[in-house]
Amino acid sequence: MTIRAIAFDAFGTLIGYGGRRINPYLRLVDAAPSEKMARLPFLTRNVPVDVFADELGRMHLLPVIQRELAEEVAGLRLFDEVDVTLRKLRAAGTRIAVCSNLAYEYGAAVRRLLPDLDAYLFSYELGAAKPDPAIYAATCTALGCQPREALFIGDSRRCDFEGPRAFEMQAGWLDRKNGLTLLDALQYYGAGAGTLAA
C-alpha cells in the first residue's frame, strides 16, 4: 500500500531534551491520590498547569513548576536529522502531521520547532491520548487519508507502534536508544526511501 501521509510522535522522535528532562508535572502527580488516574487529565485537558495546581490544592508548588517548565521548554531541540528529513518529505509531496501526548504548556513549543506541518494533533486539544483510537482517527482525518495510507512513527511501542497498527495504520518504532535515526526508520518502513536517499 502506498504511503500518502506520515504522522510523527513529537518527544523522543522529532524533538529531544537539549537540557535535562525535568517533567515538572510529576510534582502534581506525586501529590495526587492515584498516579495513574492523575496523569491522564494533564494530557487530555486544554488548561494550563495552574488549573491543576489549584484543583489539587498545590498552588504553593506553582512557582517552582512554572520555573521548571520554562527551563525544560527552553531546552527543547530538534534531533539533528529532523529538519532536512522533513524538508525532503515535503518536497516529495508527503503530507506530514505531528501527533503527540502532551500537556498544554508544550504545544506552542512543538509548533514553534515544527512549523508549517499539515496537521498538529495534541492530546490536550483533542481530549484523547494515545493509544486511544480517537487520536489516530483524528490524525487520519486531518491528513485526508485512510488509515492504511498513513505511516505512524514514534519511540513508544505501545502508543506509536501497537496503537496505530491496531487502528490499521502502518507503523514504525523509532528506537533512538539503539542509535536509530528518523531516516533509518523511514527507510526501514519503506517511506520515502527514494526521495530521502539524496
Side-chain angles (χ1 to χ4, degrees):
M1 175 60 64
T2 300
I3 293 170
R4 295 181 50 221
I6 303 177
F8 296 101
D9 174 49
F11 296 105
T13 303
L14 302 180
I15 299 170
Y17 296 89
R20 64 187 178 102
R21 173 90 190 266
I22 302 171
N23 202 346
Y25 272 85
L26 287 179
R27 291 184 179 275
L28 296 178
V29 171
D30 291 340
S34 165
E35 181 171 333
K36 185 174 181 181
M37 292 303 292
R39 187 171 176 269
L40 187 61
F42 300 153
L43 301 178
T44 57
R45 288 178 58 195
N46 195 357
V47 296
V49 70
D50 59 298
V51 172
F52 293 111
D54 183 45
E55 290 175 354
L56 293 168
R58 298 288 169 158
M59 286 297 286
H60 64 283
L61 295 176
L62 190 58
V64 174
I65 293 170
Q66 289 176 328
R67 280 196 304 272
E68 291 178 341
L69 276 166
E71 179 184 342
E72 189 166 76
V73 168
L76 297 175
R77 300 286 183 271
L78 294 181
F79 287 104
D80 290 342
E81 79 282 5
V82 169
D83 186 57
V84 66
T85 302
L86 294 184
R87 280 193 281 110
K88 288 182 178 182
L89 285 171
R90 283 192 201 100
T94 306
R95 292 182 57 79
I96 304 169
V98 61
C99 175
S100 188
N101 286 351
L102 48 85
Y104 172 92
E105 279 76 12
Y106 297 93
V110 173
R111 284 187 167 94
R112 174 178 52 80
L113 288 166
L114 297 164
D116 305 319
L117 300 187
D118 296 294
Y120 299 85
L121 293 304
F122 298 150
S123 60
Y124 76 89
E125 293 179 334
L126 294 172
K130 299 178 294 184
D132 186 328
I135 200 167
Y136 308 121
T139 299
C140 292
T141 297
L143 288 171
C145 64
Q146 296 298 313
R148 65 184 179 276
E149 299 173 319
L151 172 65
F152 201 111
I153 290 186
D155 67 320
S156 166
R157 286 192 69 86
R158 179 172 175 261
C159 294
D160 305 324
F161 182 72
E162 294 168 2
R165 283 178 58 116
F167 193 70
E168 299 187 358
M169 298 173 79
Q170 299 181 61
W173 179 45
L174 174 54
D175 186 6
R176 286 194 180 273
K177 292 178 182 175
N178 283 321
L180 293 182
T181 69
L182 190 60
L183 187 54
D184 294 325
L186 287 166
Q187 290 179 336
Y188 182 82
Y189 292 101
T195 58
L196 295 174

